[in-house]
Amino acid sequence: MGGTRIGVLGPVVLLTGEATPVWLRSRRQRLLLAVLVARSGQVVTAGELIDALWATKPPADPLAALHSHVSRLRRSLGSAGTWVETAGTDYRFAGGPERVDAARFEVLVAAARAQLGEPDAALGLLDAALGLWRGAAYHEVAEHERIRPEAARVEELRAEALETRAQLLLAAGRADEAAQAMERLGGDHPFRERPVALLMRALARRGRHADALRAFSEFRRRLDDELGLDPSPGLEAVQREILRHETPASGAVPVVGLPGNSFVGRRAELDDCAACL
């Protein structure tokens, strides 16, 4: 079976190493496989699987219907069908974590974190990890109650990996790439603070202090309008850094003066005004 894996970092598919993933035609088969993979290695009872597949409208003989769906799923998976094991009347996914792309993603991210002292190596590992993604985790079944916690956990790891990658890009002087990545992540997670902080610092590194402060103002307004919250003290500290034209030592921006009631020492603001005019 070589590099054959179950793919859940996007639509639930069988990844065989070929150019095109093997798509499971039945949505119930995809849901069944997703529930088993989300509980990888654990026995999932027949009752749980029946509830997942049919909820309040089970067939006349739900146990027989479940066994039929499992049989068809195994046939659809080919040689990988042996990963769906029977445990009495229950089932479990026994392919091992190495047979799931989400587990491979976690391994690569953990390796990258262990290599943060070697930025190029860490970036390579993060790029490999993020390259496994084909869309939202568990795709069409992500909101199912038996999938949602695992899908949310993996999506959180993805967001953290993207943030770590942006931080490494900043340290490597690749501020434009970091800013673009955090703008995309912020679009997907509009109330997440770390992408805003990284975006602000990336813009400041490029001399775009006004844009950095605008990003903070927009985020603060969004928090207030939709959640009735204020930015954390940490994000406000980043705002103050940028107002003072300061950045952490890992990538200092020259100090060009403190904000006040005078334009003396405020070269960046004068340049911004001239550009707007």
Side-chain angles (χ1 to χ4, degrees):
M1 286 180 285
T4 301
R5 288 193 182 96
I6 303 300
V8 297
L9 301 181
V12 179
V13 295
L14 180 66
L15 303 169
T16 62
E18 304 294 334
T20 305
V22 178
W23 179 260
L24 303 175
R25 294 183 181 180
S26 164
R27 184 183 184 279
R28 278 207 173 97
Q29 284 187 21
R30 297 193 294 275
L31 177 57
L32 173 59
L33 180 59
V35 171
L36 292 170
V37 169
R39 298 265 300 276
S40 185
Q42 302 176 37
V43 172
V44 185
T45 68
E48 290 177 283
L49 292 171
I50 289 167
D51 180 65
L53 295 180
W54 292 287
T56 59
K57 297 181 180 179
D61 188 345
L63 196 57
L66 173 62
H67 294 335
S68 175
H69 273 284
V70 171
S71 178
R72 279 180 277 172
L73 172 61
R74 284 170 170 158
R75 286 198 299 272
S76 297
L77 293 175
S79 57
T82 58
W83 299 343
V84 179
E85 286 189 352
T86 303
T89 59
D90 307 325
Y91 297 94
R92 68 167 165 259
F93 179 79
E98 70 278 5
R99 297 301 186 183
V100 181
D101 61 354
R104 175 62 179 160
F105 167 75
E106 291 189 58
V107 168
L108 289 168
V109 170
R113 287 174 177 162
Q115 292 283 322
L116 290 179
E118 302 281 345
D120 289 342
L123 273 172
L125 288 164
L126 286 172
D127 286 343
L130 293 164
L132 296 173
W133 287 74
R134 298 166 288 105
Y138 290 88
H139 190 51
E140 62 177 330
V141 298
E143 290 305 312
H144 192 284
E145 62 180 350
R146 296 192 183 276
I147 305 293
R148 191 183 304 120
E150 177 62 11
R153 185 187 72 85
V154 178
E155 286 286 357
E156 173 65 19
L157 290 174
R158 181 192 195 186
E160 291 174 1
L162 285 165
E163 291 165 352
T164 300
R165 181 177 181 273
Q167 192 169 346
L168 289 169
L169 289 173
L170 272 176
R174 296 159 64 181
D176 286 340
E177 293 177 63
Q180 291 168 10
M182 290 302 93
E183 283 177 341
R184 289 193 296 270
L185 183 59
D188 293 335
H189 299 271
F191 304 112
R192 194 177 180 92
E193 284 201 345
R194 196 175 176 208
V196 181
L198 288 164
L199 172 62
M200 291 167 66
R201 283 178 170 149
L203 292 171
R205 299 273 175 89
R206 301 300 297 161
R208 297 169 57 187
H209 298 79
D211 290 336
L213 295 172
R214 188 176 302 115
F216 174 83
S217 296
E218 290 172 355
F219 180 74
R220 179 173 57 189
R221 188 180 308 114
R222 186 161 60 249
L223 274 184
D224 184 36
D225 290 348
E226 300 192 34
L227 301 179
L229 299 175
D230 294 321
S232 72
L235 190 62
E236 290 178 336
V238 176
Q239 181 205 26
R240 290 193 294 274
E241 286 174 10
I242 292 169
L243 283 169
R244 298 183 178 118
H245 290 237
E246 300 170 349
T247 56
S250 57
V253 171
V255 176
V256 293
L258 297 175
N261 295 324
S262 168
F263 278 105
V264 174
R266 302 197 54 189
R267 185 72 260 164
E269 285 77 5
L270 287 169
D271 289 344
D272 286 343
C273 289
C276 289
L277 291 170

